[in-house]
Amino acid sequence: MDSTLENVAYSPKNVFILSGQSNMAGRGGVEKHHWDGIVPNECHPDASRIFRLSAHLHYEVACEPLHHDIDAKKTCGVGPGMSFANAIKDQVEAIGLVPCAVGGTAIKEWAHGQHLYVNMVKRARAAMSHGGEIKALLWYQGESDALSQHCVYTYKANMEKLIHDIRADLHLPSLPIIQVAIASGDEKYIEKIREAQKAIDLPNVVCVDAMGLQLKGDNLHLTTESQVKLGQMLADAYLTHFAPQEPCVASS
């Protein structure tokens, strides 16, 4: 093992959970189960400041695709995580990304006690055990719930319960949540899911709207360029609403 793993840089203080389904896991550049390997400049690794928690709960230098060993049954490509981290790294100390997203998952699969939820909590706690402070949960999910009327009607309550549960289990009652209003899904119910997402009115919960970002030919997943843009939108939301502000210095 690389001896630099013992370096303090591998115990990032600012931790961000990346969770939800495939658009968070990243399908940018993926066609026919093959990733083209193209990494935009905004997503380049930074070995001194941006790290990811692996499936084995060890930190390593973060690079695309961030979810390759988490959403392991699918082919992962570019997601929003790296462009998010690169966009905030000059305002914060070392960043720890905790990928947890799994493609094709409905909100009920993230309920308290379900495998996906348990794994997310376990990974978050592991990041905290490395000395990190969880600064926000970035959440992009809902396309799978745009498939039935029942899922639509229960989405808001289920998402609110997820927020309460994760805050309670991590003992972080004010944990910032930045959720994405979906940009794709079944046309019959997509607007109802978006309405539910934007209607969540809890403290320290903000919504970033992905509608209008370009989709791939499957009309479901964001393109690489759109993922870069989304990451920057998430970064703007974090820096605007949650990042500690530098104190103003009066001029003499």
Side-chain angles (χ1 to χ4, degrees):
M1 181 177 292
D2 189 336
S3 62
T4 59
L5 287 176
E6 301 303 319
N7 190 289
V8 68
Y10 280 84
S11 298
K13 301 298 182 187
N14 297 279
V15 175
F16 297 88
I17 304 169
L18 312 177
S19 201
Q21 55 181 114
S22 56
N23 272 313
M24 179 59 80
R27 299 292 188 265
V30 175
E31 296 292 343
K32 297 181 179 179
H33 311 294
H34 175 73
W35 178 46
D36 61 17
I38 297 174
V39 179
N41 289 337
E42 298 90 342
C43 301
H44 280 180
D46 183 336
S48 66
R49 285 191 282 184
I50 306 175
F51 308 92
R52 70 179 287 276
L53 194 71
S54 74
H56 299 293
L57 306 181
H58 298 298
Y59 272 118
E60 60 191 19
V61 175
C63 62
E64 299 286 11
L66 285 175
H67 278 78
H68 70 89
D69 58 351
I70 302 298
D71 193 11
K73 294 182 180 179
K74 307 286 181 64
T75 302
C76 295
V78 174
M82 285 301 296
S83 64
F84 166 81
N86 275 303
I88 69 168
K89 68 182 182 182
D90 289 336
Q91 279 72 44
V92 301
E93 297 179 31
I95 295 166
L97 301 176
V98 181
C100 297
V102 176
T105 52
I107 190 70
K108 65 182 180 181
E109 296 177 80
W110 291 92
H112 191 275
Q114 295 295 315
H115 168 72
L116 293 173
Y117 178 89
V118 170
N119 191 56
M120 177 169 61
V121 170
K122 179 181 75 172
R123 291 176 56 72
R125 287 174 174 166
M128 296 167 76
S129 74
H130 282 278
E133 298 179 10
I134 299 179
K135 298 298 186 180
L137 165 63
L138 310 186
W139 178 264
Y140 190 167
Q141 187 276 335
E143 296 94 339
S144 291
D145 291 276
L147 298 174
S148 79
Q149 190 174 52
H150 173 73
C151 291
V152 167
Y153 286 151
T154 58
Y155 189 87
K156 182 172 181 285
N158 285 336
M159 186 63 203
E160 289 174 343
K161 187 174 187 307
L162 172 64
I163 292 170
H164 289 306
D165 287 341
I166 192 73
R167 286 173 166 173
D169 283 340
L170 296 180
H171 305 290
L172 297 171
S174 300
L175 174 67
I177 312 289
I178 307 176
Q179 63 162 346
V180 179
I182 59 174
S184 60
D186 189 289
E187 291 184 1
K188 188 174 182 180
Y189 294 119
I190 180 175
E191 283 304 324
K192 294 295 185 182
I193 291 291
R194 286 170 46 77
E195 288 172 12
Q197 291 171 325
K198 291 188 283 187
I200 292 173
D201 184 19
L202 295 173
N204 282 0
V205 178
V206 299
C207 186
V208 168
D209 197 341
M211 185 60 74
L213 295 177
Q214 184 178 7
L215 300 173
K216 294 163 49 178
D218 60 9
N219 289 315
L220 179 62
H221 297 113
L222 299 182
T223 64
T224 295
E225 293 77 12
S226 292
Q227 287 284 20
V228 169
K229 176 62 177 174
L230 177 62
Q232 294 169 339
M233 292 164 63
L234 290 165
D236 287 342
Y238 174 72
L239 294 175
T240 299
H241 296 281
F242 303 120
Q245 299 299 312
E246 291 294 330
C248 295
V249 178
S251 59
S252 57

